[in-house]
Amino acid sequence: MNLTPHSALLLIDLQNDFCPLGALPVEEGNLVIPIANALIPHFDTIVATQDWHPANHGSFAANHPWRKPGQVIDLHGLPQVLWPIHCVQDSFGAEFVQELDQEKITKVFTKGTDPTIDSYSGFFDNGHRKATGMGDWLKEQGIDTVYVMGLATDYCVKFTALDALELGFTTYLIEDASRGVNLSTGDVDNAVAEMSEKGVKVIHSTQILKA
Ligand code: VGL
Ligand code: ZN
């Protein structure tokens, strides 16, 4: 695997609420942390995204009368899957997992801060209305290639990787370093297939670690 100084590692939403005991548990979500820690020394630029919602966020089922997590509503013109309350700003659930080697993280981008719209991608909200600044920042650093990993494969990892492609980055998905929600059976497999079809290169962490 040909890592250059123009490569960045994107750590997607490695937060307590996406671990098995969290509010929006991702099965085996905790297992990606040691893989992240092993990958980190191979990169000069490491960016983390952080799902960072206000308590009144429109993606929380609890903020809509009689709605339950998993249902889909129209949120200001966009289809929105409703979630349990998760990653509330300044809460324990929103913190990065303690076992993650955070000293090496170059830069953190928060997302999902606007209560009226969700943001799965680390680059843009779900309506592609506002950028988080991550795309411009990566380009200012001279980054042309991104390696995406984290939680959840079928939501934030997928939309981050697809936006990275659209922004012109050569984009890798580190598949074994990611886990998904699988709200419906097959969601993770379908997400990986879609990324691959669109041009994301799907790799295993060992391809970087043994390089
Ligand atoms: C995520 C659902 C809601 C994710 C964030 O990180 O994939 N999924 N908020
Ligand atoms: Zn969220």
PDB file of all heavy atoms in Angstrom, residues 121-157:
ATOM      1  N   SER A 121     -22.447  12.750   6.511  1.00  0.00           N
ATOM      2  CA  SER A 121     -21.101  12.958   5.972  1.00  0.00           C
ATOM      3  C   SER A 121     -20.307  13.905   6.864  1.00  0.00           C
ATOM      4  O   SER A 121     -20.852  14.844   7.442  1.00  0.00           O
ATOM      5  CB  SER A 121     -21.229  13.556   4.575  1.00  0.00           C
ATOM      6  OG  SER A 121     -20.002  14.121   4.161  1.00  0.00           O
ATOM      7  N   GLY A 122     -19.018  13.669   6.930  1.00  0.00           N
ATOM      8  CA  GLY A 122     -18.133  14.606   7.622  1.00  0.00           C
ATOM      9  C   GLY A 122     -17.858  15.871   6.816  1.00  0.00           C
ATOM     10  O   GLY A 122     -17.237  16.807   7.333  1.00  0.00           O
ATOM     11  N   PHE A 123     -18.312  15.901   5.552  1.00  0.00           N
ATOM     12  CA  PHE A 123     -18.041  17.050   4.683  1.00  0.00           C
ATOM     13  C   PHE A 123     -19.201  18.038   4.600  1.00  0.00           C
ATOM     14  O   PHE A 123     -18.983  19.251   4.579  1.00  0.00           O
ATOM     15  CB  PHE A 123     -17.712  16.573   3.261  1.00  0.00           C
ATOM     16  CG  PHE A 123     -16.406  15.850   3.138  1.00  0.00           C
ATOM     17  CD1 PHE A 123     -16.361  14.461   3.057  1.00  0.00           C
ATOM     18  CD2 PHE A 123     -15.206  16.555   3.093  1.00  0.00           C
ATOM     19  CE1 PHE A 123     -15.145  13.785   2.935  1.00  0.00           C
ATOM     20  CE2 PHE A 123     -13.996  15.897   2.966  1.00  0.00           C
ATOM     21  CZ  PHE A 123     -13.963  14.504   2.896  1.00  0.00           C
ATOM     22  N   PHE A 124     -20.434  17.509   4.497  1.00  0.00           N
ATOM     23  CA  PHE A 124     -21.622  18.352   4.265  1.00  0.00           C
ATOM     24  C   PHE A 124     -22.784  17.813   5.083  1.00  0.00           C
ATOM     25  O   PHE A 124     -22.825  16.639   5.431  1.00  0.00           O
ATOM     26  CB  PHE A 124     -22.056  18.298   2.793  1.00  0.00           C
ATOM     27  CG  PHE A 124     -21.031  18.787   1.813  1.00  0.00           C
ATOM     28  CD1 PHE A 124     -20.237  17.875   1.112  1.00  0.00           C
ATOM     29  CD2 PHE A 124     -20.864  20.142   1.576  1.00  0.00           C
ATOM     30  CE1 PHE A 124     -19.289  18.323   0.191  1.00  0.00           C
ATOM     31  CE2 PHE A 124     -19.922  20.592   0.658  1.00  0.00           C
ATOM     32  CZ  PHE A 124     -19.128  19.687  -0.028  1.00  0.00           C
ATOM     33  N   ASP A 125     -23.806  18.673   5.304  1.00  0.00           N
ATOM     34  CA  ASP A 125     -25.064  18.173   5.856  1.00  0.00           C
ATOM     35  C   ASP A 125     -25.786  17.351   4.785  1.00  0.00           C
ATOM     36  O   ASP A 125     -25.377  17.340   3.618  1.00  0.00           O
ATOM     37  CB  ASP A 125     -25.924  19.336   6.378  1.00  0.00           C
ATOM     38  CG  ASP A 125     -26.324  20.305   5.279  1.00  0.00           C
ATOM     39  OD1 ASP A 125     -26.865  19.855   4.251  1.00  0.00           O
ATOM     40  OD2 ASP A 125     -26.073  21.515   5.428  1.00  0.00           O
ATOM     41  N   ASN A 126     -26.874  16.681   5.197  1.00  0.00           N
ATOM     42  CA  ASN A 126     -27.542  15.746   4.292  1.00  0.00           C
ATOM     43  C   ASN A 126     -28.204  16.437   3.097  1.00  0.00           C
ATOM     44  O   ASN A 126     -28.542  15.778   2.119  1.00  0.00           O
ATOM     45  CB  ASN A 126     -28.583  14.915   5.057  1.00  0.00           C
ATOM     46  CG  ASN A 126     -27.926  13.917   5.998  1.00  0.00           C
ATOM     47  OD1 ASN A 126     -26.698  13.849   6.080  1.00  0.00           O
ATOM     48  ND2 ASN A 126     -28.730  13.149   6.723  1.00  0.00           N
ATOM     49  N   GLY A 127     -28.386  17.738   3.162  1.00  0.00           N
ATOM     50  CA  GLY A 127     -28.921  18.475   2.018  1.00  0.00           C
ATOM     51  C   GLY A 127     -27.827  19.117   1.180  1.00  0.00           C
ATOM     52  O   GLY A 127     -28.117  19.853   0.250  1.00  0.00           O
ATOM     53  N   HIS A 128     -26.569  18.830   1.525  1.00  0.00           N
ATOM     54  CA  HIS A 128     -25.412  19.452   0.854  1.00  0.00           C
ATOM     55  C   HIS A 128     -25.524  20.976   0.850  1.00  0.00           C
ATOM     56  O   HIS A 128     -25.169  21.634  -0.116  1.00  0.00           O
ATOM     57  CB  HIS A 128     -25.269  18.911  -0.583  1.00  0.00           C
ATOM     58  CG  HIS A 128     -24.368  17.703  -0.644  1.00  0.00           C
ATOM     59  ND1 HIS A 128     -23.359  17.563  -1.563  1.00  0.00           N
ATOM     60  CD2 HIS A 128     -24.310  16.604   0.118  1.00  0.00           C
ATOM     61  CE1 HIS A 128     -22.743  16.414  -1.367  1.00  0.00           C
ATOM     62  NE2 HIS A 128     -23.301  15.811  -0.353  1.00  0.00           N
ATOM     63  N   ARG A 129     -26.053  21.519   1.949  1.00  0.00           N
ATOM     64  CA  ARG A 129     -26.267  22.973   2.004  1.00  0.00           C
ATOM     65  C   ARG A 129     -25.061  23.676   2.609  1.00  0.00           C
ATOM     66  O   ARG A 129     -24.621  24.715   2.140  1.00  0.00           O
ATOM     67  CB  ARG A 129     -27.526  23.292   2.829  1.00  0.00           C
ATOM     68  CG  ARG A 129     -28.789  22.853   2.098  1.00  0.00           C
ATOM     69  CD  ARG A 129     -30.046  22.990   2.952  1.00  0.00           C
ATOM     70  NE  ARG A 129     -31.126  22.212   2.356  1.00  0.00           N
ATOM     71  CZ  ARG A 129     -32.137  21.689   3.042  1.00  0.00           C
ATOM     72  NH1 ARG A 129     -32.224  21.860   4.354  1.00  0.00           N
ATOM     73  NH2 ARG A 129     -33.064  20.998   2.418  1.00  0.00           N
ATOM     74  N   LYS A 130     -24.530  23.093   3.685  1.00  0.00           N
ATOM     75  CA  LYS A 130     -23.392  23.725   4.356  1.00  0.00           C
ATOM     76  C   LYS A 130     -22.244  22.731   4.475  1.00  0.00           C
ATOM     77  O   LYS A 130     -22.463  21.552   4.776  1.00  0.00           O
ATOM     78  CB  LYS A 130     -23.797  24.160   5.770  1.00  0.00           C
ATOM     79  CG  LYS A 130     -24.436  25.534   5.816  1.00  0.00           C
ATOM     80  CD  LYS A 130     -24.562  26.031   7.254  1.00  0.00           C
ATOM     81  CE  LYS A 130     -25.535  27.195   7.342  1.00  0.00           C
ATOM     82  NZ  LYS A 130     -26.269  27.223   8.603  1.00  0.00           N
ATOM     83  N   ALA A 131     -21.046  23.234   4.274  1.00  0.00           N
ATOM     84  CA  ALA A 131     -19.847  22.410   4.446  1.00  0.00           C
ATOM     85  C   ALA A 131     -19.354  22.537   5.883  1.00  0.00           C
ATOM     86  O   ALA A 131     -19.550  23.565   6.535  1.00  0.00           O
ATOM     87  CB  ALA A 131     -18.770  22.873   3.478  1.00  0.00           C
ATOM     88  N   THR A 132     -18.720  21.468   6.366  1.00  0.00           N
ATOM     89  CA  THR A 132     -18.123  21.530   7.711  1.00  0.00           C
ATOM     90  C   THR A 132     -16.763  22.215   7.684  1.00  0.00           C
ATOM     91  O   THR A 132     -16.222  22.573   8.725  1.00  0.00           O
ATOM     92  CB  THR A 132     -17.883  20.115   8.268  1.00  0.00           C
ATOM     93  OG1 THR A 132     -16.976  19.434   7.370  1.00  0.00           O
ATOM     94  CG2 THR A 132     -19.179  19.324   8.371  1.00  0.00           C
ATOM     95  N   GLY A 133     -16.186  22.318   6.473  1.00  0.00           N
ATOM     96  CA  GLY A 133     -14.836  22.861   6.345  1.00  0.00           C
ATOM     97  C   GLY A 133     -13.778  21.784   6.162  1.00  0.00           C
ATOM     98  O   GLY A 133     -12.624  22.086   5.855  1.00  0.00           O
ATOM     99  N   MET A 134     -14.173  20.529   6.335  1.00  0.00           N
ATOM    100  CA  MET A 134     -13.178  19.450   6.261  1.00  0.00           C
ATOM    101  C   MET A 134     -12.570  19.318   4.862  1.00  0.00           C
ATOM    102  O   MET A 134     -11.361  19.092   4.732  1.00  0.00           O
ATOM    103  CB  MET A 134     -13.796  18.116   6.703  1.00  0.00           C
ATOM    104  CG  MET A 134     -12.798  16.978   6.730  1.00  0.00           C
ATOM    105  SD  MET A 134     -13.361  15.567   7.674  1.00  0.00           S
ATOM    106  CE  MET A 134     -14.457  14.778   6.514  1.00  0.00           C
ATOM    107  N   GLY A 135     -13.386  19.475   3.826  1.00  0.00           N
ATOM    108  CA  GLY A 135     -12.878  19.346   2.454  1.00  0.00           C
ATOM    109  C   GLY A 135     -11.840  20.411   2.147  1.00  0.00           C
ATOM    110  O   GLY A 135     -10.734  20.103   1.657  1.00  0.00           O
ATOM    111  N   ASP A 136     -12.176  21.663   2.440  1.00  0.00           N
ATOM    112  CA  ASP A 136     -11.233  22.760   2.183  1.00  0.00           C
ATOM    113  C   ASP A 136      -9.968  22.579   3.011  1.00  0.00           C
ATOM    114  O   ASP A 136      -8.856  22.799   2.518  1.00  0.00           O
ATOM    115  CB  ASP A 136     -11.872  24.122   2.537  1.00  0.00           C
ATOM    116  CG  ASP A 136     -12.910  24.538   1.514  1.00  0.00           C
ATOM    117  OD1 ASP A 136     -12.914  23.959   0.402  1.00  0.00           O
ATOM    118  OD2 ASP A 136     -13.722  25.434   1.829  1.00  0.00           O
ATOM    119  N   TRP A 137     -10.140  22.179   4.270  1.00  0.00           N
ATOM    120  CA  TRP A 137      -8.990  22.019   5.151  1.00  0.00           C
ATOM    121  C   TRP A 137      -8.045  20.947   4.609  1.00  0.00           C
ATOM    122  O   TRP A 137      -6.830  21.164   4.531  1.00  0.00           O
ATOM    123  CB  TRP A 137      -9.439  21.669   6.581  1.00  0.00           C
ATOM    124  CG  TRP A 137      -8.294  21.631   7.539  1.00  0.00           C
ATOM    125  CD1 TRP A 137      -7.752  22.683   8.218  1.00  0.00           C
ATOM    126  CD2 TRP A 137      -7.527  20.473   7.902  1.00  0.00           C
ATOM    127  NE1 TRP A 137      -6.690  22.258   8.981  1.00  0.00           N
ATOM    128  CE2 TRP A 137      -6.532  20.913   8.805  1.00  0.00           C
ATOM    129  CE3 TRP A 137      -7.578  19.119   7.548  1.00  0.00           C
ATOM    130  CZ2 TRP A 137      -5.595  20.026   9.367  1.00  0.00           C
ATOM    131  CZ3 TRP A 137      -6.654  18.249   8.099  1.00  0.00           C
ATOM    132  CH2 TRP A 137      -5.680  18.703   8.999  1.00  0.00           C
ATOM    133  N   LEU A 138      -8.612  19.803   4.190  1.00  0.00           N
ATOM    134  CA  LEU A 138      -7.769  18.725   3.660  1.00  0.00           C
ATOM    135  C   LEU A 138      -7.014  19.198   2.421  1.00  0.00           C
ATOM    136  O   LEU A 138      -5.821  18.917   2.261  1.00  0.00           O
ATOM    137  CB  LEU A 138      -8.619  17.490   3.328  1.00  0.00           C
ATOM    138  CG  LEU A 138      -9.162  16.708   4.531  1.00  0.00           C
ATOM    139  CD1 LEU A 138     -10.233  15.720   4.086  1.00  0.00           C
ATOM    140  CD2 LEU A 138      -8.042  15.985   5.270  1.00  0.00           C
ATOM    141  N   LYS A 139      -7.711  19.936   1.557  1.00  0.00           N
ATOM    142  CA  LYS A 139      -7.059  20.420   0.330  1.00  0.00           C
ATOM    143  C   LYS A 139      -5.958  21.427   0.659  1.00  0.00           C
ATOM    144  O   LYS A 139      -4.887  21.400   0.043  1.00  0.00           O
ATOM    145  CB  LYS A 139      -8.098  20.971  -0.646  1.00  0.00           C
ATOM    146  CG  LYS A 139      -8.908  19.815  -1.250  1.00  0.00           C
ATOM    147  CD  LYS A 139      -9.849  20.175  -2.374  1.00  0.00           C
ATOM    148  CE  LYS A 139     -10.481  18.873  -2.898  1.00  0.00           C
ATOM    149  NZ  LYS A 139     -11.570  19.102  -3.849  1.00  0.00           N
ATOM    150  N   GLU A 140      -6.210  22.281   1.659  1.00  0.00           N
ATOM    151  CA  GLU A 140      -5.164  23.242   2.089  1.00  0.00           C
ATOM    152  C   GLU A 140      -3.918  22.510   2.599  1.00  0.00           C
ATOM    153  O   GLU A 140      -2.803  23.028   2.500  1.00  0.00           O
ATOM    154  CB  GLU A 140      -5.689  24.141   3.228  1.00  0.00           C
ATOM    155  CG  GLU A 140      -6.579  25.271   2.762  1.00  0.00           C
ATOM    156  CD  GLU A 140      -7.424  25.844   3.908  1.00  0.00           C
ATOM    157  OE1 GLU A 140      -7.046  25.649   5.095  1.00  0.00           O
ATOM    158  OE2 GLU A 140      -8.465  26.460   3.612  1.00  0.00           O
ATOM    159  N   GLN A 141      -4.110  21.325   3.177  1.00  0.00           N
ATOM    160  CA  GLN A 141      -2.970  20.549   3.670  1.00  0.00           C
ATOM    161  C   GLN A 141      -2.266  19.785   2.541  1.00  0.00           C
ATOM    162  O   GLN A 141      -1.305  19.066   2.791  1.00  0.00           O
ATOM    163  CB  GLN A 141      -3.403  19.518   4.725  1.00  0.00           C
ATOM    164  CG  GLN A 141      -4.267  20.048   5.855  1.00  0.00           C
ATOM    165  CD  GLN A 141      -3.602  21.158   6.621  1.00  0.00           C
ATOM    166  OE1 GLN A 141      -2.488  20.991   7.116  1.00  0.00           O
ATOM    167  NE2 GLN A 141      -4.262  22.309   6.716  1.00  0.00           N
ATOM    168  N   GLY A 142      -2.809  19.878   1.329  1.00  0.00           N
ATOM    169  CA  GLY A 142      -2.226  19.149   0.201  1.00  0.00           C
ATOM    170  C   GLY A 142      -2.648  17.697   0.140  1.00  0.00           C
ATOM    171  O   GLY A 142      -2.023  16.891  -0.566  1.00  0.00           O
ATOM    172  N   ILE A 143      -3.711  17.354   0.854  1.00  0.00           N
ATOM    173  CA  ILE A 143      -4.184  15.966   0.854  1.00  0.00           C
ATOM    174  C   ILE A 143      -4.921  15.665  -0.452  1.00  0.00           C
ATOM    175  O   ILE A 143      -5.777  16.448  -0.877  1.00  0.00           O
ATOM    176  CB  ILE A 143      -5.134  15.723   2.062  1.00  0.00           C
ATOM    177  CG1 ILE A 143      -4.392  15.955   3.390  1.00  0.00           C
ATOM    178  CG2 ILE A 143      -5.780  14.347   1.996  1.00  0.00           C
ATOM    179  CD1 ILE A 143      -3.223  15.044   3.654  1.00  0.00           C
ATOM    180  N   ASP A 144      -4.568  14.535  -1.075  1.00  0.00           N
ATOM    181  CA  ASP A 144      -5.300  14.117  -2.282  1.00  0.00           C
ATOM    182  C   ASP A 144      -5.933  12.736  -2.134  1.00  0.00           C
ATOM    183  O   ASP A 144      -6.694  12.296  -2.999  1.00  0.00           O
ATOM    184  CB  ASP A 144      -4.396  14.174  -3.521  1.00  0.00           C
ATOM    185  CG  ASP A 144      -3.138  13.317  -3.392  1.00  0.00           C
ATOM    186  OD1 ASP A 144      -3.094  12.412  -2.519  1.00  0.00           O
ATOM    187  OD2 ASP A 144      -2.184  13.545  -4.161  1.00  0.00           O
ATOM    188  N   THR A 145      -5.617  12.046  -1.046  1.00  0.00           N
ATOM    189  CA  THR A 145      -6.084  10.671  -0.853  1.00  0.00           C
ATOM    190  C   THR A 145      -6.571  10.511   0.586  1.00  0.00           C
ATOM    191  O   THR A 145      -5.865  10.911   1.521  1.00  0.00           O
ATOM    192  CB  THR A 145      -4.930   9.684  -1.115  1.00  0.00           C
ATOM    193  OG1 THR A 145      -4.435   9.931  -2.442  1.00  0.00           O
ATOM    194  CG2 THR A 145      -5.362   8.246  -0.997  1.00  0.00           C
ATOM    195  N   VAL A 146      -7.764   9.944   0.749  1.00  0.00           N
ATOM    196  CA  VAL A 146      -8.282   9.737   2.109  1.00  0.00           C
ATOM    197  C   VAL A 146      -8.604   8.268   2.349  1.00  0.00           C
ATOM    198  O   VAL A 146      -9.080   7.566   1.457  1.00  0.00           O
ATOM    199  CB  VAL A 146      -9.519  10.615   2.408  1.00  0.00           C
ATOM    200  CG1 VAL A 146      -9.157  12.090   2.381  1.00  0.00           C
ATOM    201  CG2 VAL A 146     -10.677  10.327   1.461  1.00  0.00           C
ATOM    202  N   TYR A 147      -8.288   7.829   3.552  1.00  0.00           N
ATOM    203  CA  TYR A 147      -8.592   6.484   4.021  1.00  0.00           C
ATOM    204  C   TYR A 147      -9.662   6.633   5.089  1.00  0.00           C
ATOM    205  O   TYR A 147      -9.416   7.218   6.141  1.00  0.00           O
ATOM    206  CB  TYR A 147      -7.325   5.828   4.583  1.00  0.00           C
ATOM    207  CG  TYR A 147      -6.319   5.516   3.505  1.00  0.00           C
ATOM    208  CD1 TYR A 147      -5.510   6.517   2.966  1.00  0.00           C
ATOM    209  CD2 TYR A 147      -6.188   4.219   3.006  1.00  0.00           C
ATOM    210  CE1 TYR A 147      -4.596   6.229   1.957  1.00  0.00           C
ATOM    211  CE2 TYR A 147      -5.275   3.926   2.002  1.00  0.00           C
ATOM    212  CZ  TYR A 147      -4.493   4.927   1.479  1.00  0.00           C
ATOM    213  OH  TYR A 147      -3.593   4.647   0.474  1.00  0.00           O
ATOM    214  N   VAL A 148     -10.863   6.110   4.803  1.00  0.00           N
ATOM    215  CA  VAL A 148     -12.015   6.336   5.668  1.00  0.00           C
ATOM    216  C   VAL A 148     -12.291   5.072   6.482  1.00  0.00           C
ATOM    217  O   VAL A 148     -12.313   3.963   5.934  1.00  0.00           O
ATOM    218  CB  VAL A 148     -13.258   6.703   4.823  1.00  0.00           C
ATOM    219  CG1 VAL A 148     -14.444   7.032   5.715  1.00  0.00           C
ATOM    220  CG2 VAL A 148     -12.951   7.868   3.883  1.00  0.00           C
ATOM    221  N   MET A 149     -12.528   5.240   7.773  1.00  0.00           N
ATOM    222  CA  MET A 149     -12.869   4.116   8.652  1.00  0.00           C
ATOM    223  C   MET A 149     -13.725   4.618   9.802  1.00  0.00           C
ATOM    224  O   MET A 149     -13.707   5.800  10.122  1.00  0.00           O
ATOM    225  CB  MET A 149     -11.609   3.464   9.239  1.00  0.00           C
ATOM    226  CG  MET A 149     -10.789   4.376  10.136  1.00  0.00           C
ATOM    227  SD  MET A 149      -9.843   3.477  11.413  1.00  0.00           S
ATOM    228  CE  MET A 149     -11.135   2.972  12.551  1.00  0.00           C
ATOM    229  N   GLY A 150     -14.462   3.717  10.429  1.00  0.00           N
ATOM    230  CA  GLY A 150     -15.177   4.084  11.646  1.00  0.00           C
ATOM    231  C   GLY A 150     -16.614   3.616  11.664  1.00  0.00           C
ATOM    232  O   GLY A 150     -16.964   2.552  11.178  1.00  0.00           O
ATOM    233  N   LEU A 151     -17.469   4.472  12.230  1.00  0.00           N
ATOM    234  CA  LEU A 151     -18.855   4.128  12.539  1.00  0.00           C
ATOM    235  C   LEU A 151     -19.771   5.217  11.961  1.00  0.00           C
ATOM    236  O   LEU A 151     -19.440   6.387  12.071  1.00  0.00           O
ATOM    237  CB  LEU A 151     -19.023   4.055  14.062  1.00  0.00           C
ATOM    238  CG  LEU A 151     -17.996   3.137  14.789  1.00  0.00           C
ATOM    239  CD1 LEU A 151     -18.120   3.290  16.294  1.00  0.00           C
ATOM    240  CD2 LEU A 151     -18.155   1.687  14.371  1.00  0.00           C
ATOM    241  N   ALA A 152     -20.835   4.903  11.369  1.00  0.00           N
ATOM    242  CA  ALA A 152     -21.256   3.548  11.047  1.00  0.00           C
ATOM    243  C   ALA A 152     -21.129   3.352   9.530  1.00  0.00           C
ATOM    244  O   ALA A 152     -21.415   4.262   8.767  1.00  0.00           O
ATOM    245  CB  ALA A 152     -22.728   3.354  11.475  1.00  0.00           C
ATOM    246  N   THR A 153     -20.739   2.162   9.111  1.00  0.00           N
ATOM    247  CA  THR A 153     -20.475   1.885   7.698  1.00  0.00           C
ATOM    248  C   THR A 153     -21.617   2.310   6.791  1.00  0.00           C
ATOM    249  O   THR A 153     -21.394   2.855   5.709  1.00  0.00           O
ATOM    250  CB  THR A 153     -20.243   0.373   7.504  1.00  0.00           C
ATOM    251  OG1 THR A 153     -19.346  -0.097   8.500  1.00  0.00           O
ATOM    252  CG2 THR A 153     -19.699   0.081   6.121  1.00  0.00           C
ATOM    253  N   ASP A 154     -22.866   2.050   7.234  1.00  0.00           N
ATOM    254  CA  ASP A 154     -24.027   2.300   6.372  1.00  0.00           C
ATOM    255  C   ASP A 154     -24.590   3.714   6.509  1.00  0.00           C
ATOM    256  O   ASP A 154     -25.575   4.045   5.847  1.00  0.00           O
ATOM    257  CB  ASP A 154     -25.127   1.238   6.602  1.00  0.00           C
ATOM    258  CG  ASP A 154     -25.306   0.836   8.054  1.00  0.00           C
ATOM    259  OD1 ASP A 154     -24.531   1.309   8.917  1.00  0.00           O
ATOM    260  OD2 ASP A 154     -26.230   0.051   8.344  1.00  0.00           O
ATOM    261  N   TYR A 155     -23.980   4.553   7.340  1.00  0.00           N
ATOM    262  CA  TYR A 155     -24.421   5.948   7.436  1.00  0.00           C
ATOM    263  C   TYR A 155     -23.235   6.900   7.289  1.00  0.00           C
ATOM    264  O   TYR A 155     -22.891   7.329   6.184  1.00  0.00           O
ATOM    265  CB  TYR A 155     -25.242   6.200   8.733  1.00  0.00           C
ATOM    266  CG  TYR A 155     -26.582   5.542   8.616  1.00  0.00           C
ATOM    267  CD1 TYR A 155     -26.798   4.242   9.105  1.00  0.00           C
ATOM    268  CD2 TYR A 155     -27.621   6.183   7.943  1.00  0.00           C
ATOM    269  CE1 TYR A 155     -28.018   3.610   8.931  1.00  0.00           C
ATOM    270  CE2 TYR A 155     -28.847   5.554   7.760  1.00  0.00           C
ATOM    271  CZ  TYR A 155     -29.039   4.275   8.256  1.00  0.00           C
ATOM    272  OH  TYR A 155     -30.246   3.651   8.068  1.00  0.00           O
ATOM    273  N   CYS A 156     -22.598   7.230   8.385  1.00  0.00           N
ATOM    274  CA  CYS A 156     -21.610   8.317   8.319  1.00  0.00           C
ATOM    275  C   CYS A 156     -20.365   7.938   7.528  1.00  0.00           C
ATOM    276  O   CYS A 156     -19.799   8.768   6.810  1.00  0.00           O
ATOM    277  CB  CYS A 156     -21.280   8.791   9.722  1.00  0.00           C
ATOM    278  SG  CYS A 156     -22.727   9.591  10.464  1.00  0.00           S
ATOM    279  N   VAL A 157     -19.940   6.693   7.609  1.00  0.00           N
ATOM    280  CA  VAL A 157     -18.767   6.267   6.834  1.00  0.00           C
ATOM    281  C   VAL A 157     -19.097   6.332   5.344  1.00  0.00           C
ATOM    282  O   VAL A 157     -18.336   6.893   4.545  1.00  0.00           O
ATOM    283  CB  VAL A 157     -18.326   4.845   7.255  1.00  0.00           C
ATOM    284  CG1 VAL A 157     -17.285   4.287   6.297  1.00  0.00           C
ATOM    285  CG2 VAL A 157     -17.807   4.851   8.692  1.00  0.00           C
TER     286      VAL A 157
END
